Amino acid sequence: MDTALDRAVRVFRERGYHATSIGDLTAAMRLATGSIYKAFRDKHAVFLAAFERYTALRQQQTRSAARGANGREQIRNVLLSYVEHSRGIEGRRGCLVVGSAVELSALDPVVGALVSTQLASNESFIAGLIRAGQADGSIPRHVVADDTARLMLCITQGMRVVGKARLPLDAERLVGAAMKLLA
């Protein structure tokens, strides 16, 4: 099931919800139409399962990227990870959270709630890293953790948009500029 959902995630990331047909999903997931309807009921249910799978994997990747001797290094590594996931073929596929926020959040309250929850989780994670950096002395106490985390959330999600648009992202320059928020 995870393999089939990973394939559905790829289609939804590349095409968006509305441009993805059941035919696209059956081809990508390598399942018969009847099997998809039996397992998921409809395209929306496939999308919700794919969204859940995608966010769980991305959250795991982001947490894994948060390595380093202190909070400042951990944030830097998370930002570098976002740049990497926003470049090349991975960047062109796009972010399912960003795509869903733009395409579906205003029209689909279920997806809107999932997007809001995921963005809040990302922001909370960044705020926690900032607070950890303040506790270990790598980030000054005058930095307002919640406000800075919100701005960094905007930066990271903006990277995903820029990557989808196929614009170049220079990791050192972007991350260097973002890290100035922690000075």
Side-chain angles (χ1 to χ4, degrees), residues 19 55 88 126 162:
T55 55
I126 295 168
V162 169

Side-chain angles (χ1 to χ4, degrees), residues 74-164:
Q74 292 169 357
I75 290 172
R76 184 175 193 288
N77 287 328
V78 166
L79 292 172
L80 288 169
S81 173
Y82 266 95
V83 173
E84 280 310 306
H85 286 281
S86 300
R87 294 197 294 198
I89 192 163
E90 183 69 7
R92 287 189 298 276
R93 283 190 182 124
C95 173
L96 194 57
V97 175
V98 171
S100 299
V102 173
E103 184 181 14
L104 298 171
S105 282
L107 305 172
D108 185 326
V110 172
V111 174
L114 291 171
V115 167
S116 293
T117 297
Q118 187 58 44
L119 292 175
S121 175
N122 292 353
E123 183 177 332
S124 176
F125 179 68
I126 295 168
L129 293 177
I130 292 169
R131 288 186 183 92
Q134 289 172 324
D136 67 34
S138 63
I139 297 172
R141 293 258 178 218
H142 68 82
V143 172
V144 181
D146 292 335
D147 294 346
T148 305
R150 173 65 55 95
L151 187 52
M152 287 199 170
L153 176 72
C154 293
I155 291 168
T156 58
Q157 300 314 290
M159 286 180 198
R160 300 309 305 258
V161 171
V162 169
K164 180 78 171 176

